[in-house]
Amino acid sequence: MTVRLVIFGRQGAGKGTQCVNIVKTYGVAHISTGDMLRAAVGAGTDMGLRAKEVMDSGGLVGDDIMNGIVADRLSEPDAAGPGFVLDGYPRTQPQAEALLSILGDESLDAVINLDVPLDEVTARMKSRGREDDTDEAIERRLALYEQETRPVLDFFDKQGLLVTVDGLGTEEEVSSRLILAVNELL
Ligand code: AMP
């Protein structure tokens, strides 16, 4: 069985944590664009150096770069085999359209919106202590989420792919809600 998912939600909604549980349950590849960019920063590649500045300021890395990274990753065999969960991509309408064209007929099974209110994600980000979590960067990322990323939810909703899961509660509670929702779809 192949499982192709996108996990959606504000930064701080717990997407990364929940992806670990999705990977355990379905054996899919976890494709986190944030992790891939951080790896490029760590390796000191040209792309990493350019991305770092954008990431530190809470901005979004350009669509062409992101679409290229994801297209490359999705062409690896594990993504075709067990499948994947995309985490942190797509974040803009052009990225959403690029993803659907990369996937072609083998489209997504579901886009899961891990729903956590604004005040809660703000508090979580302030306490996680990541290097790019300055007050200004947090504010900018949340504003960009509303402007650029939320419209992508409506786009997937119109395609009948969107499933919203309440992201409040313990990791285990959220995880069982999520797995239940995915199982219902498959
Ligand atoms: P994340 O780990 O998903 O919170 O991503 C960390 C940072 O990487 C974001 O604040 C963005 O600057 C950048 N980033 C990750 N994914 C994307 C994407 N799909 N489009 C643009 N920028 C991204």
Side-chain angles (χ1 to χ4, degrees):
M1 189 180 63
T2 308
V3 182
R4 299 184 195 86
L5 303 171
V6 169
I7 188 153
F8 226 89
R10 295 188 172 96
Q11 285 183 312
K15 298 191 293 293
T17 308
Q18 289 303 327
C19 279
V20 174
N21 294 315
I22 292 176
V23 167
K24 263 192 224 148
T25 308
Y26 301 107
V28 292
H30 179 200
I31 304 182
S32 159
T33 47
D35 285 351
M36 290 162 93
L37 290 171
R38 281 184 288 276
V41 171
T45 64
D46 275 358
M47 195 259 290
L49 292 176
R50 270 178 283 139
K52 185 175 188 327
E53 221 172 294
V54 178
M55 292 165 80
D56 285 347
S57 71
L60 289 172
V61 175
D63 288 333
D64 289 347
I65 294 179
M66 297 314 303
N67 294 338
I69 294 178
V70 171
D72 283 352
R73 180 63 187 88
L74 285 174
S75 71
E76 288 174 34
D78 60 338
F84 56 82
V85 56
L86 275 165
D87 168 7
Y89 178 96
R91 261 178 160 97
T92 66
Q93 183 68 27
Q95 290 181 16
E97 285 165 19
L99 175 63
L100 294 187
S101 93
I102 294 165
L103 294 174
D105 292 340
E106 294 156 19
S107 193
L108 296 166
D109 293 306
V111 174
I112 299 156
N113 178 26
L114 195 57
D115 190 28
V116 177
L118 197 60
D119 51 350
E120 173 68 17
V121 290
T122 309
R124 287 187 194 176
M125 274 193 272
K126 287 190 175 169
S127 68
R128 73 183 175 181
R130 215 166 74 180
E131 200 196 327
D132 59 342
D133 284 338
T134 60
D135 284 355
E136 298 76 39
I138 290 172
E139 206 170 302
R140 175 132 186 257
R141 286 205 297 263
L142 291 170
L144 275 174
Y145 180 84
E146 299 304 325
Q147 275 166 36
E148 302 284 341
T149 309
R150 180 177 293 286
V152 179
L153 276 187
D154 301 332
F155 171 77
F156 283 127
D157 195 15
K158 286 200 191 94
Q159 313 222 354
L161 286 169
L162 191 68
V163 186
T164 295
V165 171
D166 179 2
L168 283 178
T170 64
E171 183 184 328
E172 291 73 23
E173 280 163 355
V174 176
S175 172
S176 38
R177 260 179 232 144
L178 225 161
I179 303 296
L180 211 67
V182 175
N183 282 344
E184 258 171 45
L185 285 164
L186 296 176

